[in-house]
Amino acid sequence: MKLYSTNNRNLKVDLKEAVMQSLAPDKGLYLPENIPALPPYFIRNLDQYTFQEISYEVSRSIIGDYIPARDLKKIVESAINFPAPVQMLSDNIGALELWHGPSLAFKDFGARYMASLMSYFIRNDDKHLTILVATSGDTGGAVAAGFYNTPGIEVIILYPSGKVSDLQEKQLTTLGGNISALEIKGTFDDCQAMVKEAFLDPDLNNKLHLSSANSINIARLIPQSFYYFEAFKQVFRHNTEVIFSVPSGNFGNLTAGLLAKKMGLPVKRFIAATNINKIVPDYLETGIYKPKPSLSTISNAMDVGSPSNFARIFELYQGDHKLLGKDVSGFWLNDDGTKTAMLDVYSKFGYVCDPHGAIGYKSLEKLKKGELGIFLETAHPAKFLDTVNEVLDMEIEIPEELASCANKTKVATLLNNDFQHFKAYLMGHNIP
Ligand SMILES: *Cc1c(COP(=O)(O)O)cnc(C)c1O
């Protein structure tokens, strides 16, 4: 298996390099050179396979024999060890619940798969790996949980001060061990820019073996395609067309859906659903792609002004705006619209959505025609407790995983959004 950089088709690496580097040296994002279609009998008979078996078949199709079958099976089985159920709210609308993993958000799939893959790749190396990750909320918790206690790997998480929920912050800052948290006085985009700059800094790269767990890493992306197959398996009925609505920030989830379609999953269409950070819906409408500084919203995991995975989407469609428009429609809501959407799902179906999922739901309600629509419920509503309690005027129950870290003490280092400070911290950081 070879992967190439979205900036240069001739820059090719193998999977281990792509996973370790995360970002290509020319700042492009890696994409598999071949995205083979799965055999039609596999797609027709999805219901004969468990979620883990589906995940293995999809992995093997992309990764090929680069990893021996027995090892790949173990990697998949240790990472994908919780379900992705579709809750049908009505005959033709379902919520794909992606929050049954340890941090209660879909990012657990990517983080766990990546941790399994990385520890496999470094199993015979004696060097220590440092993972840098910027989070707008959920990534940090998933990566912290996914890599916690992974031998040979140290994780440093950057998050924007005051811009993640209290419980999200607790998930990032209370594990300890090989996980450290940096509270940055700035926005998520600042955190992301600092991480990107660190990868390009020669001093840091000489001292530390840096790697990233942001959604730019191909190891995060691959497993996110599994649950599109798993969802399709659960809802498919003869003669139904299926569309997916994807609440989006950095657009990893949507990119993974487009990969699943390329691999032969017969999805009719996707909806790129965002909050007022509507760079991609605007692009779909106008053909002009214009990143902007991010704005804060109640769906903060989607507060991204320069979506990193857009380069991959662009590449998958060879920059053809019309072609992309056939597969993807855009939709966005402001905070008031998001609150109304949360109320609507609750009053119509008695279903509690988090703010991100609610945007996914509303886009289906607005754009769906006769198809069966699945929206990705990307996080458990308790992760956005204040908003959910306020909007729905009720107290929802907090799952045990969250409740237990709420009582622990936050441990984080406060830093300015200044690369030199960050670098000094990293240079002085003692990696055992
Ligand atoms: C990360 C996240 C998103 C955005 O996903 P992308 O793959 O970055 O587009 C949406 N909802 C929640 C709850 C998230 O944590």
Side-chain angles (χ1 to χ4, degrees):
M1 172 202 198
K2 287 278 180 205
L3 300 101
Y4 69 96
S5 161
T6 50
N7 283 345
N8 176 5
R9 269 211 165 249
N10 296 319
L11 199 164
K12 289 178 198 166
V13 297
D14 67 14
L15 182 63
K16 178 175 175 181
E17 273 176 276
V19 171
M20 293 305 169
Q21 288 177 8
S22 211
L23 192 65
D26 64 0
K27 297 197 186 186
L29 273 58
Y30 286 117
L31 264 179
E33 196 176 22
N34 291 309
I35 303 166
L38 285 145
Y41 71 80
F42 171 73
I43 308 275
R44 268 199 312 274
N45 294 307
L46 276 176
D47 60 352
Q48 316 273 316
Y49 295 82
T50 65
F51 185 23
Q52 283 188 336
E53 288 164 348
I54 290 175
S55 304
Y56 170 73
E57 292 298 332
V58 175
S59 297
R60 205 189 49 172
S61 178
I62 300 182
I63 294 175
D65 53 11
Y66 182 72
I67 296 177
R70 207 164 26 113
D71 295 338
L72 187 58
K73 212 164 240 161
K74 273 195 214 140
I75 290 167
V76 169
E77 283 169 4
S78 72
I80 312 299
N81 61 354
F82 51 92
V86 176
Q87 280 284 349
M88 290 308 291
L89 304 187
S90 70
D91 276 354
N92 53 19
I93 290 194
L96 170 57
E97 293 181 342
L98 298 175
W99 45 256
H100 292 269
S103 81
L104 307 179
F106 81 84
K107 293 187 175 73
D108 286 325
F109 289 98
R112 293 183 63 82
Y113 192 82
M114 183 176 173
S116 294
L117 209 53
M118 275 192 165
S119 64
Y120 173 76
F121 285 144
I122 64 164
R123 70 198 183 286
N124 298 324
D125 300 357
D126 51 2
K127 67 183 183 199
H128 215 91
L129 206 62
T130 301
I131 302 224
L132 296 180
V133 55
T135 182
S136 59
D138 278 346
T139 300
V143 169
F147 283 85
Y148 186 52
N149 282 338
T150 303
I153 302 183
E154 186 89 8
V155 177
I156 299 172
I157 299 170
L158 286 77
Y159 70 96
S161 181
K163 295 200 170 64
V164 303
S165 77
D166 291 350
L167 281 169
Q168 280 179 332
E169 186 174 37
K170 284 291 171 82
Q171 285 185 307
L172 313 176
T173 58
T174 57
L175 278 175
N178 61 331
I179 315 292
S180 316
L182 298 181
E183 181 176 358
I184 305 297
K185 293 187 214 160
T187 62
F188 167 68
D189 290 343
D190 294 332
C191 297
Q192 189 152 263
M194 287 161 80
V195 167
K196 281 190 181 158
E197 199 168 343
F199 287 120
L200 301 170
D201 187 285
D203 299 337
L204 287 176
N205 278 288
N206 284 337
K207 180 174 157 77
L208 307 167
H209 298 283
L210 293 180
S211 199
S212 156
N214 273 99
S215 56
I216 51 176
N217 198 300
I218 191 70
R220 290 247 330 249
L221 203 61
I222 293 170
Q224 287 175 218
S225 62
F226 305 161
Y227 44 72
Y228 288 91
F229 288 87
E230 172 68 8
F232 194 88
K233 164 183 115 181
Q234 293 171 62
V235 303
F236 179 72
R237 297 186 297 258
H238 204 56
N239 280 338
T240 30
E241 291 179 314
V242 178
I243 67 176
F244 282 98
S245 171
V246 188
S248 296
N250 266 318
F251 282 81
N253 239 343
L254 182 67
T255 307
L258 297 173
L259 287 179
K261 187 170 161 75
K262 240 186 152 48
M263 286 185 268
L265 190 70
V267 178
K268 185 176 178 215
R269 209 155 47 91
F270 293 87
I271 302 173
T274 71
N275 56 33
I276 51 170
N277 295 287
K278 56 187 177 66
I279 316 301
V280 171
D282 282 351
Y283 167 76
L284 289 166
E285 202 179 307
T286 62
I288 299 164
Y289 184 68
K290 209 168 148 196
K292 296 184 182 143
S294 64
L295 303 165
S296 294
T297 72
I298 57 169
S299 48
N300 64 38
M302 311 199 302
D303 293 352
V304 181
S306 180
S308 51
N309 273 292
F310 192 73
R312 284 192 173 113
I313 297 181
F314 204 70
E315 174 62 27
L316 286 172
Y317 287 82
Q318 280 120 47
D320 188 331
H321 171 249
K322 273 220 183 87
L323 208 61
L324 178 60
K326 281 199 182 122
D327 285 353
V328 185
S329 319
F331 184 84
W332 62 276
L333 286 179
N334 63 17
D335 279 354
D336 282 344
T338 305
K339 290 178 185 173
T340 307
M342 291 167 69
L343 278 168
D344 280 1
V345 200
Y346 187 66
S347 64
K348 280 187 191 143
F349 309 111
Y351 189 76
V352 179
C353 261
D354 91 289
H356 308 77
I359 295 178
Y361 163 78
K362 191 52 117 188
S363 353
L364 276 183
E365 200 187 82
K366 294 280 182 194
L367 300 187
K368 198 172 78 59
K369 302 195 177 86
E371 310 96 341
L372 200 157
I374 304 295
F375 67 95
L376 276 53
E377 174 50 322
T378 46
H380 190 287
K383 294 201 78 171
F384 302 89
L385 199 63
D386 296 345
T387 306
V388 173
N389 284 346
E390 180 210 309
V391 173
L392 302 183
D393 194 19
M394 61 186 233
E395 299 275 318
I396 62 163
E397 218 171 287
I398 305 181
E400 173 54 32
E401 294 93 322
L402 272 183
S404 65
C405 77
N407 300 323
K408 294 189 191 147
T409 311
K410 156 183 164 183
V411 180
T413 305
L414 192 65
L415 285 184
N416 288 326
N417 64 346
D418 173 298
F419 180 69
Q420 292 311 323
H421 282 186
F422 177 46
K423 181 171 171 178
Y425 170 88
L426 289 175
M427 293 301 284
H429 196 77
N430 274 330
I431 304 301

